[in-house]
Amino acid sequence: MSDTGSLQRTAGSVPAQPNPGILDVELLQRGLAENPLRVFPIECDGRRYWVKRLSKNLDNPLSRLAYRLRSRLSGKGEEALGEHEVESLTALRRHGFLTPEVVFRNQYCLVLSDLGPSLETVLTLAPPEERAPVVRQAAEAVRRLHDSGRWHGAARLHNMTLYQGQIGFIDLENTVENWLPPFMRRVWDTWQLGHSAAFFQPNVVLAETALRAYGPGGVRKFLYAVAVLFFGTYAALYPFRNTGKREIRQIHALMRAIYRAPRKVPDAI
C-alpha cells in the first residue's frame, strides 16, 4: 500500500466531534490484509476507527458488470468515488452536520473516525415502542440537510449514526448529482429514509413517522402523487403485506404510510 505515511485531514469541525487521534498505519495494513470485509473497525490507542475499501465486494456477477459499466460510463473510477465521498463529508461538516473525520486516505481505502452505532443497530436493539423517537430525529436531520441545500444520496437508517444524542451521516459515496436534478435528490433521500424505517416494527407507523417528521412541502406532495399513480402496485402488493419478501413488505408499508400521512392531524403519531 503506497502513501502509508501521509495523513490528510478534512477542514472544519462540528461540536461534539470525537478527537480522531493518530492512526497506526501498520495496524491498518494488517487489518486490510486479514479482513475480507469492505468496511470493518480497527482499534488504535483505545479509539475505534472504520476502514472502508474503495473497491466494492460484489459477489453477484451481474452486479459487478453493472458497477463496472456505470464506472466506465461516468468516467469515475473507485479513486474518484473515494474523492467524492471525502468532499461530501467535508461539505456537510462545513454546514454544521456531524460526519466522520477522514483520518487517512490513499488510492485503496479511507479510514474514518467512529461516530457511534448506526441507527439500524439502535433500532434493532430498541423495543418497538421506543423506535419512533429515533426515526423522528433521523427524519428531522435529513430535512435540515435538505434545507441547507445538501443531500445524502442514500439516506437510509444504516447510513446514519447516533453520537452523544446527535445524528451523524456516514457513507456519502453515492453520486446522485450525476443523474438526478436537485429536487429529485431530496425525493430520493426521503423515499429511502421511509423505506428503511419500514423495515422495523411497527412498519407502517415508523414509515409514517419518518414522513411526518420530515415535514410538509413539495417532496411529500410529489411522493403522494407517485403513490396515487401507482395505486395498482399498492393493491397488487396488499395480499403479501405480511407474508411477502422483506422488500415487498417495506414497499407496501411505505406506500401505505404515504397515503395516510397527509390525512392525519400532526399529533396523531
Side-chain angles (χ1 to χ4, degrees):
M1 185 166 64
S2 62
D3 298 333
T4 53
S6 63
L7 299 181
Q8 300 183 25
R9 297 184 183 278
T10 56
S13 61
V14 174
Q17 182 76 25
N19 182 353
I22 300 175
L23 179 69
D24 184 336
V25 178
E26 291 185 4
L27 179 64
L28 170 61
Q29 290 177 309
R30 201 158 56 244
L32 287 169
E34 298 172 356
N35 198 314
L37 298 176
R38 188 192 181 202
V39 181
F40 59 91
I42 59 174
E43 301 283 340
C44 181
D45 291 334
R47 292 188 175 93
R48 170 176 276 200
Y49 303 91
W50 289 92
V51 181
K52 181 175 183 177
R53 287 183 170 91
L54 299 184
S55 59
K56 291 189 176 184
N57 299 333
L58 299 174
D59 297 328
N60 189 304
L62 290 177
S63 298
R64 284 200 302 270
L65 178 61
Y67 177 70
R68 288 171 185 168
L69 285 174
R70 188 177 65 179
S71 299
R72 210 169 265 189
L73 290 173
S74 66
K76 292 190 174 183
E78 293 167 345
E79 192 170 353
L81 292 176
E83 184 65 27
H84 171 271
E85 180 161 14
V86 171
E87 291 173 355
S88 298
L89 292 170
T90 305
L92 262 61
R93 287 167 66 87
R94 282 200 304 264
H95 282 79
F97 295 97
L98 187 64
T99 64
E101 182 167 355
V102 181
V103 179
F104 177 89
R105 54 187 281 215
N106 63 12
Q107 67 266 44
Y108 301 109
C109 69
L110 304 176
V111 181
L112 309 170
S113 59
D114 181 67
L115 280 186
S118 73
L119 294 190
E120 185 176 68
T121 299
V122 172
L123 291 171
T124 299
L125 297 176
E129 64 272 13
E130 296 179 8
R131 289 170 175 166
V134 178
V135 172
R136 186 177 295 113
Q137 188 178 359
E140 291 169 350
V142 171
R143 180 58 186 249
R144 289 195 301 272
L145 184 69
H146 291 172
D147 287 345
S148 73
R150 302 298 305 177
W151 58 90
H152 189 293
R156 307 181 71 80
L157 292 171
H158 67 261
N159 290 331
M160 303 180 209
T161 69
L162 191 63
Y163 181 80
Q164 296 184 358
Q166 299 182 65
I167 298 296
F169 292 107
I170 59 175
D171 198 9
L172 286 101
E173 67 180 5
N174 293 64
T175 55
V176 293
E177 63 274 13
N178 289 343
W179 56 282
L180 282 178
F183 175 74
M184 292 304 298
R185 297 169 203 167
R186 299 186 180 201
V187 172
W188 179 257
D189 272 352
T190 310
W191 172 273
Q192 295 209 51
L193 173 66
H195 184 268
S196 62
F199 173 77
F200 300 92
Q201 296 284 349
N203 312 86
V204 176
V205 172
L206 289 183
E208 188 177 348
T209 298
L211 293 174
R212 293 203 62 85
Y214 180 84
V219 170
R220 280 262 303 276
K221 291 178 181 177
F222 183 87
L223 286 174
Y224 185 75
V226 170
V228 170
L229 182 64
F230 287 93
F231 181 80
T233 301
Y234 172 81
L237 295 178
Y238 185 81
F240 307 100
R241 65 193 184 281
N242 297 319
T243 59
K245 291 185 177 180
R246 184 186 72 182
E247 183 73 16
I248 292 176
R249 297 197 307 270
Q250 284 179 261
I251 292 175
H252 177 272
L254 176 54
M255 292 185 73
R256 187 177 178 190
I258 292 171
Y259 290 136
R260 286 172 41 157
R263 298 197 300 269
K264 297 186 69 175
V265 296
D267 296 328
I269 293 180

